[in-house]
Structure formats: C-alpha cells, structure tokens
Amino acid sequence: MSVRLIGTGAADGWPTPFCTCASCTAERAAGRVRAQASALLDERVLLDCAPSTPLAAERLGISLAGVTLILHTHQHSDHFSPATLMYRSWVREEPLTVLGPPDVVEAAGHWLAPEAAVTLRAVQPGDTVEHEGYTVRVLEAHHRTGLGRDGATECVLYDLTTPSGERLLYATDTGPLPAATVSAVTGADFDLVLLEESFGDRLDHGTRHLDLATFPEQLRRLRAVAAITERTEVVATHLSHHNPPTPELSRRLADWGARVLDDGATVLGEAQPAVPTPIRTLVLGGARSGKSVEAERMLADAAGVTYLATSYPPGDDGEWVERVRLHQDRRPAHWSTVESLDLVGELGRDGDPLLIDCLTLWLTRVMDRHDAWDDAAWAGGGDAALRADVAELVAAWAATTRRVVAVSNEVGQGVVPEGSGSRRFRDEMGRLNAAIAAVTEDVRWCVAGKVQNL
C-alpha cells in the first residue's frame, strides 16, 4: 500500500493567506504550504477531492489519471469539488466511481453530463462497497455539515482494505469518534490511520473537530480495541494555524506515536521502523514554565496513568486547595491518583505509566522529615540521612522498567536565598536534578511554555 498526501491542511490551509499570526509566519518562513486535506491510495483511490486538490497534485508531480474511485466524506467545500468531476469528464472516458453521502451524490449529479462515465453511489454508515479488489466500509463521523436533506448530518469516514490486505482508516472531518465507529473497527489492526487534528492548542473552538487534547484521547480509544497497534502508522492531517509550528507539533505528536508530514509525502502502510519510547523522562522548569502541562500531555494517549502527588495535603490553605483542584480537574477521568512519598516503592512496581509531580515537593518533605533545614540537625546527621534517601531514589529511578515521567523545579537560577536552610535546599535540589538527569534518556527543559529537549 502506498499513500501520497496531496493536502494536509484544514479548510483555509496552513499558513492561511490572510493571516500573520506566529504559526502562519513561521510556516511561511519555512516554505511550508498545506493544501486542503486529500490523499491518494495506490494511485487509484482518491480520498476527498477538494477544490485545491487537482492543482496541488499537479504542483507535487502527482498524477490523478489512474484514479478509478473517489471517496468523499461530506459536502463541505474544502472536501468536495463537483466541478472537478466535470473537468475530468472533459478529458477522460475511463469509468470512475464516486462514493459519498446522499447530499454529495445529489450535488455531484448536477455537474455531470448524462454520457459521463461516472457512477455516483450514495453511502451511509454501515455500508460496505467492493471496488476492483478494494473493500470500503463506511463509518459514522461526528461532524455536522448543515447541508443534509431535512437538516440531517451527512458526513462519513472510511475504512479501506486493499487487494493485498493492507488496511487504512481515513478519519477527517470528525470530532471525538462515535462509539459505533470505535466498535466497528475493533481488532482492525490498521496499517495506517489518517486522523484529523484541526484545532491544535485552541480548545474552546466548540466545533466537531479534534485538537491537541482530544486527538490523543482518540488514539487511546483506538488502541484499547486494537484498531491501532504498535505497528500502525498514525499521521495527523487537516491541520490549521491553531497548531504550533510544524517542528513543535512533530515533537508533541511523537510522544503519542503519531507523525505530521508535509504535502506530497509518501506514506507506506507496511511496518515502519519502530521509534523507541523512553522509559524515563525528566521535565524541568521554573514556576509556571509549563512543565506539568508538558508531563501530562506526554501521557495523554496512555490507557491508564498513575499520578503520584508528593505535596502535603492542602489543609485549610485556600490558595493551595485551589491549586490542587486545578491540577486534579486537568487530569483525565481514567487516571488514578496516589498521594505518597514512596517513590522508590512505586518505581519498583509494574503498572500503568507513572507521573511524579513533583521531585521538588518530595525533597521538601524529605528535608522536613530529617529536620535538614536546621544547621545543627544537618551537621548532626541530617545530611547523611537526606543523601541516603536521594541515593535510594536515584537507584530506583535508574533500575525501573516502568514508563515514568517526573516533574522537577529548577530553582538555581534566581537570587541567592538569604537563609542557610533555603540555600541548602537550593543546592540539594540542583544535586537531585543532576543525579536523576544523569540516568535519564529523555530530559526536557521548559521555559515560557516552550520545551527544549536536552
């Protein structure tokens, strides 16, 4: 199976011609232009045909002359170009089959002469169509066109099996996948999934599209039913300028086993070289640098996560209670929370991925336990007790086989604290971070909400 990406952009493309936002400006400077979403399977099956598709294909050196089947997801103007069917009929007499919801077929019929060698076939979720060895299963989308007859929503997704047995899921446009669609692809073990990710970091869009919060959730749901497996290649498409620039988007998607590719890229459905997933990740940063958000985002596609909170119970401190509540509200409902200082024990157990937030509060409480803030207690054995605990933690971290992400504060870049206990804490925090980083294969630095891989 070979798939060429003719377009990977949303309706207005990316960069958007009338926009000067940071995302559009960065993409423009890099020379990247994404046309409206469309893909070509085996040079024979065209997945969506937007107004921009024919010229985009021509510019990319992609021929559409061999296309015998076009699958339209819905009638929105960035996915459906009935004029293209007419233009094709002017130059080609070979038979062409066009599938789409009833309103697509009805609209397409107005553009074709009676003698055109085009077969229009209306499909709905649950239908299966055979075409030249390809099996096309029609799935339900979570999208509203507003163009359906009697106000009905007419939008579908496609599950295709090639003559040689490879399988592709084409899922654009859609919001969170309907339960019926997830059920229909149970055990599919797709070779390739093209999944829309329209709105990036804009989470208040209120549309039936996916963003960088709901996209990984769909991956989790599809993995739970073995529709996506370790060998499945996942590519994000239908991208807009609400996403961060491509390098940052690629970095984030990689944590979920997904990729973003340029227009014109060839995607092979055969097994791709595996990208090793790190076991240990350390996320560093200052206050409000985005480190907790980054850590949580990394595990957003996991089937389950154990969130290990190391802070003191909030007690009657209203401001701290509110901080804890905001952290809790941000976590997915299927995550579990453990409040404990026993990091060594948790690292030694098998289980779901472990998110430790954070090492700074753990060190604070361990210093409290050994009275290590006091100079006399420190000199009287507190230093040895603290460092023994740290050494035990570092050893457990180095030996763990459990996927673990830990958050820690970088506290050494501000002014020198006034008190000796505070200076001691700053020094020990730096030593702990360095010791953990030395046995960590994935260390990330957060500043101003941006992330640098160290």
Side-chain angles (χ1 to χ4, degrees):
M1 176 171 69
S2 177
V3 176
R4 293 291 303 274
L5 302 178
I6 299 175
T8 56
D12 50 351
W14 183 26
T16 301
F18 301 100
C19 184
T20 58
C21 73
S23 178
C24 284
T25 300
E27 293 298 285
R28 198 174 285 124
R32 278 186 292 267
V33 177
R34 300 184 186 276
Q36 294 161 337
S38 179
L40 180 63
L41 170 61
D42 295 339
E43 300 183 354
R44 296 167 64 190
V45 181
L46 185 59
L47 304 168
D48 274 333
C49 184
S52 66
T53 298
L55 288 180
E58 195 66 33
R59 292 190 180 100
L60 293 167
I62 300 173
S63 173
L64 302 182
V67 171
T68 63
L69 176 65
I70 299 179
L71 306 180
H72 283 293
T73 54
H74 60 302
Q75 201 191 143
H76 276 166
S77 60
D78 59 317
H79 292 263
F80 175 56
S81 175
T84 298
L85 300 177
M86 180 179 67
Y87 303 151
R88 180 192 181 276
S89 71
W90 292 349
V91 296
R92 302 205 71 81
E93 297 180 354
E94 293 84 357
L96 174 70
T97 299
V98 177
L99 305 184
D103 60 333
V104 167
V105 168
E106 182 179 351
H110 298 307
W111 289 82
L112 294 170
E115 66 275 10
V118 178
T119 300
L120 302 174
R121 178 168 175 177
V123 294
Q124 295 179 343
D127 290 348
T128 298
V129 177
E130 300 289 338
H131 175 85
E132 297 181 351
Y134 291 88
T135 300
V136 181
R137 299 173 68 224
V138 186
L139 305 175
E140 181 183 349
H142 182 56
H143 195 62
R144 185 178 300 281
T145 68
L147 300 172
R149 293 170 296 180
D150 303 322
T153 298
E154 298 191 0
C155 183
V156 298
L157 312 177
Y158 291 105
D159 168 2
L160 293 93
T161 302
T162 71
S164 54
E166 295 110 336
R167 201 163 173 183
L168 159 69
L169 175 64
Y170 184 70
T172 181
D173 293 2
T174 184
L177 297 170
T181 295
V182 175
S183 177
V185 298
T186 296
D189 188 14
F190 286 109
D191 294 274
L192 173 62
V193 171
L194 298 177
L195 181 62
E196 80 126 86
E197 194 283 287
S198 301
F199 275 91
D201 286 320
R202 182 175 177 185
L203 308 184
D204 63 348
H205 51 89
T207 69
R208 296 184 181 186
H209 282 286
L210 300 180
D211 49 50
L212 284 171
T214 52
F215 181 90
E217 172 63 11
Q218 307 322 301
L219 300 185
R220 182 188 70 82
R221 295 173 68 204
L222 292 172
R223 288 189 178 112
V225 297
I228 292 178
T229 65
E230 290 184 358
R231 70 182 195 87
T232 304
E233 180 149 10
V234 180
V235 176
T237 188
H238 206 269
L239 306 167
S240 81
H241 68 153
H242 296 297
N243 280 282
T246 295
E248 170 64 8
L249 179 60
S250 295
R251 190 191 67 78
R252 294 198 207 172
L253 291 175
D255 285 331
W256 306 325
R259 293 203 292 164
V260 57
L261 298 173
D262 291 340
D263 288 12
T266 298
V267 188
L268 297 178
E270 62 195 32
Q272 299 295 308
V275 177
T277 300
I279 295 175
R280 293 158 290 257
T281 298
L282 175 63
V283 184
L284 298 167
R288 291 291 183 261
S289 61
K291 57 189 183 297
S292 291
V293 170
E294 170 70 5
E296 293 165 10
R297 183 165 53 205
M298 291 173 63
L299 299 176
D301 67 325
V305 173
T306 298
Y307 186 102
L308 183 53
T310 60
S311 67
Y312 279 111
D316 58 359
D317 184 336
E319 190 269 342
W320 192 251
V321 168
E322 179 64 10
R323 282 176 179 256
V324 171
R325 185 191 68 79
L326 290 174
H327 263 272
Q328 292 171 339
D329 289 349
R330 203 167 61 206
R331 298 171 209 159
H334 63 279
W335 288 18
S336 61
T337 299
V338 174
E339 297 180 355
S340 174
L341 286 186
D342 185 20
L343 306 191
V344 171
E346 288 293 339
L347 288 167
R349 297 186 186 101
D350 293 329
D352 291 334
L354 182 64
L355 197 165
I356 301 171
D357 197 354
C358 64
L359 296 181
T360 307
L361 292 172
W362 176 86
L363 181 65
T364 300
R365 295 181 66 181
V366 171
M367 286 188 67
D368 287 346
R369 185 165 63 195
H370 298 301
D371 199 19
W373 306 90
D374 179 77
D375 292 347
W378 178 255
D383 57 344
L386 176 70
R387 286 170 182 161
D389 285 348
V390 168
E392 186 180 16
L393 171 59
V394 172
W397 176 273
T400 190
T401 57
R402 186 175 182 178
R403 177 71 175 109
V404 60
V405 178
V407 174
S408 191
N409 285 265
E410 172 51 65
V411 300
Q413 295 186 319
V415 297
V416 177
E418 181 176 358
S420 61
S422 298
R423 290 194 296 272
R424 184 174 304 121
F425 171 77
R426 183 190 66 163
D427 292 345
E428 296 306 317
M429 189 73 256
R431 292 189 179 104
L432 173 59
N433 286 342
I436 292 289
V439 291
T440 300
E441 62 272 27
D442 179 25
V443 182
R444 307 183 185 195
W445 165 250
C446 298
V447 59
K450 303 297 183 182
V451 181
Q452 177 70 43
N453 289 324
L454 300 183

